[in-house]
Amino acid sequence: MTLEFTEAEEAFRLEAREWLAAHNPGRLPSMDTAEGAAAHREWERTLASGRWSVVTWPEAYGGRDASLTEWVIFEEEYYLAGAPTRISQNGISLLAPIIFGHGTEAQKERYLRDMTDGTLVWAQAWSEPEAGSDLASLRATATQVEGGWRLNGQKTWSSRAPFADRGFGLFRSDPSAERHRGLTYFLFPLDADGVTVRPIDQLDGTPGFAEIFFDDVFVPDDDVLGGVGDGWKVAMSTAGNERGLSLRSPGRFCAAADRLLDLWQADPQPHLRDQVVDAWIGAEAYRLYTWGTVTHVEAGGSVGAEGSINKLWWSDLDLSLHETALSLLGADAELAGRWVDDYLFSLSGPIYAGTNQIQRNIVAERVLGLPRGGR
Amino acid sequence: MRFGRTPEQHAFSEALDDLLGAADVPAASRAWATGDHSAGLKLWQRLAELGVTGLLVSEEDGGLSASAVDLTVAFERLGYHGVPGPWIESVAVAPRLLPGTPDAELLARLASGEALVSVAPGTRALDADVAERTYALGATLRRAEPGAERTSVDPTRRLFEVTAGEEIATIDPAPALDFGTLACSAQLLGAGLRLLDDSVAYVKQRTQFGRPIGEFQAVKHLLADVRVALDFAAPLVHNAAVELDAEAPTAARAVSAAKVATGDAAYLASRTALQVHGAIGYTREFDLSLWILKVRALVGAWGTPAEHRARILESLVEAR
């Protein structure tokens, strides 16, 4: 480690490391099962009790007012410790920044605290049967009624929805407006009258996906997030988070590359040597790229379309790293276990948060400046 | 925490771009390939005035005592503009080899750009015909005599077999080799960036089926992948320089990672550039060929990808 950190940052790292060493429960059952969801909520409670669940948030909301640098340090330590993936990720990294930026004071009071300790787990409800990466073609509707709105239609591929408490998503509130306009961002309870959640087993066999059907579901005006008709603008500020810094910590890939080295050392197969080394180089490049991004952001810069570059890298890295592990395992690669679980998860990377084809279009058009149009 | 270039380093990079962008570097390269060094040496002198040749030479010897990070800033731009000559040998390697040897008197003239030297990390030395002195670098440092010329895939790289002669110092060659490898990585990164820039410009103006080919998704996706590969190779180069400056125990591994990643990224950039340019890219008359051929040569120079991957794995296993 030659990146230089301040004494305060090193102290923060040490505090995180020690706390994690004392409290980390290790691997929990998949959060996309009832038993796993309960265990993960419990872990969120423990994290919150140590004030480690939302380190960058203001202290008033259970955070530590940590800098971006400290946050990445925490994430490095978190994954090095082998701590569980976070069931509250959707809420904390996708919804909370929007509530902080666009929410009313009442919404902040109502939702933020309960998000920090696993009391309130959120499901993202963006995709629809005919709208995946093409979010602007959403069809689920919101109709204004006295005191609020009636939601109708269907969402799908909603991760965590079978075990979550509430959802957030976009609905078409003005059918006569253009594709990107007339969308409004709503927060809604998953156990409300008229809501039907139908779990769908994922490729890994867990029931983590769900379809959500809305049949005249009433949502009060208080649960409109941002302005009526501003849903697209509001949602795009989270799409950047999902593809960029917040979702995939480098520590996760560094830890996986480390486990891959264990596997290699146990059975060093010469024809796989280059792939093992490339996985390590890929994780190292990702770690360093992230520190470059942190430096840029802390100096007042922003992450725009570059978030798509980031997403392409980690999703391809995740997949190739796990494919290499399965190659090393040989015939045993088909046996259920951690490598197979993580491999199956890595298969979803190039699909969710906007497919990698869409990301390449974004990089080409917004970073390289190539002309739009023509598919 | 801060991980990135300083405003001074950005300004240095821009100054190099201003100078090299205004010079006709491709013409100098083509002349250099035929053994006519005049335009290339003029360029050498002008870059010396900007301090490039003295970056790693100590201030006592008239150099700048600059950092390895500064070195990568310069070599990235040399690669971007395709500048010919024994730059790695004279600017990145010799200043790490000669202090304390009987040839230390050369350092001041290296810094001022008056002297060029070549160093053979293996059996061949680049541009030994224009070098005042040629060295063979093994477990000891020896002066060397250039012999038969060998033809490189990149005609601007004039290679000569060397015969090692008088030993002038017993040294550990590794640190100097690491500086050469780092400079080569930065050059590869710069060449890759140039290939991408030229490809982007070309696909915006080249039309087929009534549209610029840059509108086609297949073309967009190829170029997006090049952008991704280069963007993730760059921090490895920066980190390797930071680690060399700090004499970190993992510096050699960091240098190897930078070399593998920049070689892969620049090679992808060259293959993609050729593909999107079509037949014009396959000609020698079109300047793109200068970078396509240089990248192929540099991928194997200063340690092959296989050698560097082996070094990385060895270091990772040792550290456990």
Side-chain angles (χ1 to χ4, degrees):
Chain A
M1 175 67 65
T2 53
L3 285 167
E4 283 182 21
F5 296 93
T6 64
E7 264 179 48
E9 286 162 352
E10 290 295 358
F12 180 88
R13 182 187 291 282
L14 195 65
E15 189 187 346
R17 183 173 297 175
E18 284 172 356
W19 188 88
L20 285 163
H23 296 87
N24 172 25
R27 206 161 154 71
L28 299 177
S30 167
M31 68 176 81
D32 291 329
T33 60
E35 177 204 7
H40 277 83
R41 280 183 195 257
E42 179 60 36
W43 169 235
E44 292 294 322
R45 219 169 358 260
T46 307
L47 274 172
S49 71
R51 284 197 312 125
W52 291 109
S53 68
V54 286
V55 295
T56 56
W57 289 20
E59 290 184 16
Y61 291 103
R64 291 172 173 250
D65 253 325
S67 67
L68 191 54
T69 296
E70 287 170 331
W71 178 72
V72 178
I73 288 172
F74 172 69
E75 294 280 307
E76 284 190 346
E77 292 300 322
Y78 191 86
Y79 285 101
L80 280 175
T85 40
R86 304 280 305 271
I87 195 170
S88 293
Q89 187 87 262
N90 278 338
I92 290 169
S93 62
L94 302 180
L95 178 60
I98 297 193
I99 295 184
F100 276 118
H102 304 267
T104 61
E105 285 310 310
Q107 285 171 336
K108 289 178 193 168
E109 285 309 313
R110 201 154 60 238
Y111 296 128
L112 290 174
R113 245 179 199 292
D114 283 350
M115 212 183 280
T116 65
D117 63 3
T119 302
L120 199 50
V121 172
W122 292 83
Q124 185 192 35
W126 281 13
S127 293
E128 292 185 10
E130 300 298 327
S133 292
D134 182 12
L135 270 186
S137 69
L138 295 177
R139 287 195 212 156
T141 60
T143 314
Q144 195 150 25
V145 294
E146 169 124 25
W149 299 76
R150 293 271 175 202
L151 306 183
N152 279 286
Q154 181 187 356
K155 297 285 178 180
T156 192
W157 315 136
S158 186
S159 300
R160 311 290 99 78
F163 308 105
D165 307 294
R166 293 183 69 92
F168 54 94
L170 295 175
F171 291 77
R172 195 162 291 284
S173 51
D174 179 359
S176 65
E178 273 180 76
R179 274 163 43 94
H180 292 76
R181 307 216 169 120
L183 294 170
T184 299
Y185 205 118
F186 285 95
L187 310 176
F188 51 85
L190 285 166
D191 59 358
D193 284 346
V195 171
T196 308
V197 176
R198 190 182 77 81
I200 306 170
D201 283 355
Q202 300 180 141
L203 191 61
D204 66 4
T206 61
F209 271 160
E211 291 176 291
I212 308 173
F213 298 92
F214 298 84
D215 181 13
D216 266 344
V217 176
F218 177 78
V219 175
D221 285 322
D222 292 349
D223 280 333
V224 170
L225 184 54
V228 171
D230 285 342
W232 177 260
K233 200 177 68 192
V234 172
M236 282 306 102
S237 58
T238 46
N241 283 337
E242 193 177 12
R243 290 164 197 161
L245 260 181
S246 68
L247 187 68
R248 287 288 164 244
S249 294
R252 180 169 163 261
F253 300 98
C254 292
D258 208 46
R259 287 199 309 279
L260 185 65
L261 271 164
D262 288 338
L263 211 53
W264 160 265
Q265 278 194 279
D267 181 13
Q269 300 170 46
H271 68 288
L272 294 170
R273 187 198 72 179
D274 285 1
Q275 291 171 43
V276 171
V277 175
D278 285 348
W280 179 84
I281 295 175
E284 175 75 350
Y286 188 51
R287 178 178 78 88
L288 296 166
Y289 180 91
T290 300
W291 285 119
T293 305
V294 169
T295 301
H296 170 73
V297 171
E298 289 203 330
S302 60
V303 179
E306 290 80 7
S308 295
I309 292 178
N310 205 51
K311 199 253 168 170
L312 284 164
W313 187 263
W314 64 249
S315 57
D316 286 346
L317 168 65
D318 203 19
L319 190 49
S320 64
L321 191 155
H322 286 95
E323 283 171 340
T324 302
L326 297 195
S327 297
L328 278 166
L329 287 168
D332 285 352
E334 75 169 290
L335 300 178
R338 171 131 199 213
W339 284 112
V340 164
D341 287 352
D342 289 358
Y343 162 73
L344 289 174
F345 181 69
S346 77
L347 286 174
S348 67
I351 299 167
Y352 73 96
T355 64
N356 281 13
Q357 284 65 40
I358 292 289
Q359 305 307 329
R360 288 187 173 92
N361 286 349
I362 293 171
V363 173
E365 290 167 10
R366 297 193 213 153
V367 180
L368 299 177
L370 295 182
R372 286 175 156 278
R375 293 289 182 239
Chain B
M1 197 284 310
R2 200 200 132 70
F3 183 75
R5 290 178 176 176
T6 62
E8 292 74 26
Q9 284 160 345
H10 284 295
F12 181 41
S13 178
E14 279 167 24
L16 290 168
D17 273 344
D18 288 345
L19 169 66
L20 293 169
D24 188 351
V25 183
S29 285
R30 290 177 188 283
W32 192 277
T34 67
D36 171 3
H37 298 121
S38 55
L41 290 176
K42 262 185 211 146
L43 213 48
W44 193 285
Q45 233 4 275
R46 298 188 59 195
L47 287 161
E49 285 157 23
L50 275 187
V52 177
T53 50
L55 282 171
L56 292 191
V57 176
S58 68
E59 287 177 42
E60 301 87 81
D61 285 320
L64 296 172
S65 296
S67 67
V69 176
D70 295 320
L71 187 78
T72 60
V73 172
F75 274 84
E76 185 195 295
R77 290 299 99 187
L78 293 176
Y80 187 89
H81 294 280
V83 179
W87 287 95
I88 294 176
E89 294 76 3
S90 301
V91 176
V93 179
R96 310 298 303 180
L97 284 178
L98 299 182
T101 73
D103 285 9
E105 40 87 22
L106 263 176
L107 288 164
R109 290 194 304 118
L110 277 172
S112 69
E114 277 171 67
L116 282 65
V117 301
S118 188
V119 180
T123 60
R124 291 184 292 273
L126 179 69
D127 296 318
D129 57 339
V130 74
E132 179 167 323
R133 208 162 281 166
T134 297
Y135 297 95
L137 183 54
T140 62
L141 179 63
R142 295 175 184 276
R143 289 195 187 146
E145 282 304 316
E149 184 178 352
R150 301 294 301 273
T151 306
S152 167
V153 62
D154 170 10
T156 71
R157 283 173 55 86
R158 296 163 57 79
L159 297 171
F160 295 84
E161 299 284 349
V162 294
T163 313
E166 182 195 349
E167 176 184 321
I168 63 162
T170 308
I171 47 134
D172 173 8
L177 285 172
D178 281 338
F179 272 82
T181 307
L182 176 71
C184 185
S185 304
Q187 233 178 343
L188 276 163
L189 178 63
L193 291 166
R194 174 58 173 266
L195 284 156
L196 177 61
D197 280 356
D198 284 358
S199 299
V200 166
Y202 184 77
V203 304
K204 282 185 190 172
Q205 51 97 2
R206 164 73 170 161
T207 59
Q208 288 280 268
F209 309 105
R211 298 161 165 190
I213 62 171
E215 268 192 25
F216 299 130
Q217 195 161 242
V219 171
K220 282 180 177 163
H221 288 194
L222 285 177
L223 293 171
D225 283 342
V226 173
R227 171 89 267 163
V228 172
L230 291 168
D231 276 9
F232 280 86
L236 288 166
V237 174
H238 185 75
N239 181 60
V242 169
E243 293 207 16
L244 277 182
D245 280 331
E247 297 180 18
T250 51
R253 177 169 87 200
V255 167
S256 286
K259 181 64 167 51
V260 171
T262 53
D264 282 355
Y267 189 67
L268 180 69
S270 76
R271 285 291 322 276
T272 303
L274 179 54
Q275 191 65 29
V276 303
H277 278 80
I280 187 71
Y282 197 75
T283 64
R284 279 272 171 110
E285 70 179 69
F286 197 66
D287 286 343
L288 189 74
S289 67
L290 296 168
W291 283 271
I292 291 174
L293 298 175
K294 187 173 301 298
V295 164
R296 184 51 260 183
L298 293 183
V299 163
W302 298 93
T304 64
E307 287 162 352
H308 283 296
R309 284 192 174 97
R311 193 162 80 142
I312 292 167
L313 190 61
E314 200 182 317
S315 154
L316 288 172
V317 168
E318 247 174 40
R320 322 196 101 215

